[in-house]
């Protein structure tokens, strides 16, 4: 019970990066244990293939476009599943590393939004590539893994802060764009060697990370759509607080308030003081047009 409580506490106080690691590890370990116990008991579920053993499984994305008609959720679920332990370990180490870098500059909602929408984008490109690239024509293959989303987060951070210094073990200090560049080049080299679909998904994630930052710098945050959907469902199931009944008594002979009793000169001076305080805190450009007009009129 002590270990379980420690895990619960770590999950509760951890940020979005730590929670994503918990989800990925849990979705690898828990089904593995359950299916192993079922197999030991002689129960086999061939139509519920959780692994990447074939395209009949329910949660890995398939290169066959028609499969989306009966399992559209795989555009997201594949990004939380992994082929084997080493695949999971490597991705979680990178997720922890690039997630911390991303959160140096952006919010947790932006991180999760980028993780989800880059996964969807990479999955669609993965499916499309099997339809248009001659080398992959006629091949039906499944895909799982968080690599495409991790590449999106890495490249997004590198595009935003390319000169950011990162210290790597046995290598020393390097710039962030150097790290992103190395991984992109490796994927470009390997795309025609092995696991072509997977490397195409990695490159798609990297491209989406670039686009995400460029749009964000122009005022468009694509992650807001994911945040809005999550907030909608969170509020949908949140119990509404009952508003306590308040009885209002009306005074038949209301007395003028202190603000009404103040001379107009005092009210004007108070307004000027408030605007000057705002200028000292945020600068003149932070004033609204009404506040600027008020200052100009009082100077006359």
């Amino acid at each position: 019970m002590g270990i379980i409580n420690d895990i619960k506490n770590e999950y509760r106080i951890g940020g979005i990066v730590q929670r994503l690691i918990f989800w990925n590890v849990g979705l690898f370990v828990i089904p593995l244990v359950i299916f192993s116990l079922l197999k030991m008991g002689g129960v086999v579920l061939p139509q519920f293939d959780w692994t990447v053993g074939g395209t009949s499984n329910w949660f890995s994305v398939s290169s066959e476009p028609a499969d989306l008609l009966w399992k559209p959720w795989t555009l997201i679920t594949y990004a939380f599943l992994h082929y084997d332990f080493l695949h999971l370990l490597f991705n979680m180490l990178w997720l922890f590393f690039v997630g911390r870098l991303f959160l140096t500059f952006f919010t947790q909602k932006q991180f999760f939004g980028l993780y989800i929408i880059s996964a969807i984008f990479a999955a669609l490109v993965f499916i499309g590539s099997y339809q248009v690239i001659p080398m992959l024509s006629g091949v039906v293959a499944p895909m799982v893994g968080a690599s495409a989303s991790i590449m999106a987060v890495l490249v997004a951070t590198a595009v935003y802060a390319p000169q950011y210094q990162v210290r790597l073990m046995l290598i020393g200090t390097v710039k962030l764009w150097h790290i992103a560049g190395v991984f992109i080049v490796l994927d470009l080299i390997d795309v025609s060697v092995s696991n072509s679909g997977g490397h195409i998904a990695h490159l798609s994630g990297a491209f989406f990370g670039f686009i995400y930052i460029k749009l964000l710098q122009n005022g468009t945050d694509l992650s807001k759509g994911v945040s809005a959907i999550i907030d909608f469902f969170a509020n949908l199931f949140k119990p509404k607080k009952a508003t306590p009944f308040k009885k209002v008594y009306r005074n038949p002979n209301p007395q003028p308030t202190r603000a009404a009793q103040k001379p107009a000169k005092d009210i004007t001076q108070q307004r000027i003081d408030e605007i000057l305080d705002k200028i000292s805190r945020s600068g003149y450009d932070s004033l609204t047009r009404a506040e600027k007009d008020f200052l100009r009129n009082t100077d006359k």
Side-chain angles (χ1 to χ4, degrees):
M1 291 299 293
I3 296 177
I4 295 177
N5 289 333
D6 290 342
I7 293 175
K8 287 181 178 179
N9 291 333
E10 285 293 325
Y11 179 83
R12 187 173 64 253
I13 64 177
I16 186 60
V17 174
Q18 194 163 324
R19 292 187 178 186
L20 278 174
I21 292 174
F22 269 100
W23 297 345
N24 279 273
V25 172
L27 288 172
F28 179 83
V29 173
I30 295 174
L32 189 64
V33 172
I34 293 175
F35 295 157
S36 296
L37 292 175
L38 290 174
K39 189 175 182 179
M40 290 174 60
V43 179
V44 181
L45 302 174
Q47 297 302 319
F48 196 76
D49 183 10
W50 186 272
T51 65
V52 196
T55 56
S56 63
N57 56 76
W58 286 23
F59 299 101
S60 65
V61 69
S62 169
S63 62
E64 179 58 50
D67 285 355
L68 288 179
L69 296 176
W70 64 275
K71 52 174 189 174
W73 55 83
T74 57
L75 291 175
I76 296 176
T77 55
Y78 85 95
F80 294 87
L81 304 174
H82 291 83
Y83 180 70
D84 56 24
F85 177 74
L86 290 179
H87 187 205
L88 173 72
L89 177 63
F90 182 78
N91 273 351
M92 292 305 98
L93 290 174
W94 268 108
L95 178 59
F96 181 80
F97 174 75
V98 303
R100 291 300 181 90
L101 289 176
F102 184 88
L103 292 177
T104 303
F105 307 101
F106 304 103
T107 66
Q108 299 198 50
K109 284 188 175 182
Q110 288 174 315
F111 175 83
F112 185 68
L114 177 58
Y115 186 98
I116 295 297
I117 53 180
S118 62
I120 296 173
F121 178 81
L124 292 174
V125 174
F126 168 79
I127 295 170
S129 65
Y130 277 80
Q131 316 310 312
V132 299
I133 298 178
M135 180 180 67
L136 303 176
S137 180
V139 179
V140 178
M143 179 178 69
V144 293
S147 304
S149 295
I150 294 171
M151 280 293 290
V153 175
L154 173 61
V155 171
T157 314
V159 171
Y160 183 79
Q163 304 301 321
Y164 189 80
Q165 301 285 331
V166 180
R167 177 174 290 277
L168 298 178
M169 189 181 301
L170 304 178
I171 296 178
T173 302
V174 296
K175 294 178 180 178
L176 185 54
W177 77 267
H178 292 159
I179 300 175
V182 167
F183 277 91
I184 291 173
V185 170
L186 289 176
D187 278 317
L188 287 171
I189 294 173
D190 290 338
V191 72
S192 61
V193 178
S194 63
N195 188 24
S196 300
H199 292 295
I200 289 172
H202 297 174
L203 293 170
S204 303
F207 177 72
F208 190 87
F210 173 84
I211 295 299
Y212 173 79
I213 290 299
K214 290 304 179 181
L215 289 175
L216 186 64
Q217 290 172 337
N218 289 326
T220 302
D221 187 354
L222 296 177
S223 67
K224 284 186 176 180
V226 177
S227 300
I229 293 172
I230 293 174
D231 291 341
F232 171 78
F233 284 103
N235 294 329
L236 192 65
F237 297 102
K238 186 183 295 183
K240 295 182 179 180
K241 295 182 179 179
T243 305
F245 175 77
K246 293 182 178 180
K247 188 173 182 179
V248 179
Y249 294 91
R250 294 183 177 273
N251 189 347
N253 299 309
Q255 298 295 323
T257 61
R258 289 188 176 184
Q261 292 173 350
K262 284 185 177 181
K265 184 176 181 180
D266 291 346
I267 297 175
T268 302
Q269 185 61 46
Q270 181 180 353
R271 179 64 171 156
I272 292 174
D273 292 341
E274 291 174 353
I275 295 175
L276 292 177
D277 288 340
K278 186 174 181 180
I279 294 175
S280 66
R281 290 194 309 269
S282 309
Y284 180 79
D285 292 337
S286 65
L287 298 181
T288 63
R289 177 174 294 180
E291 290 171 335
K292 292 177 181 179
D293 292 341
F294 181 82
L295 278 181
R296 282 194 292 267
N297 292 334
T298 53
D299 289 339
K300 294 178 180 179

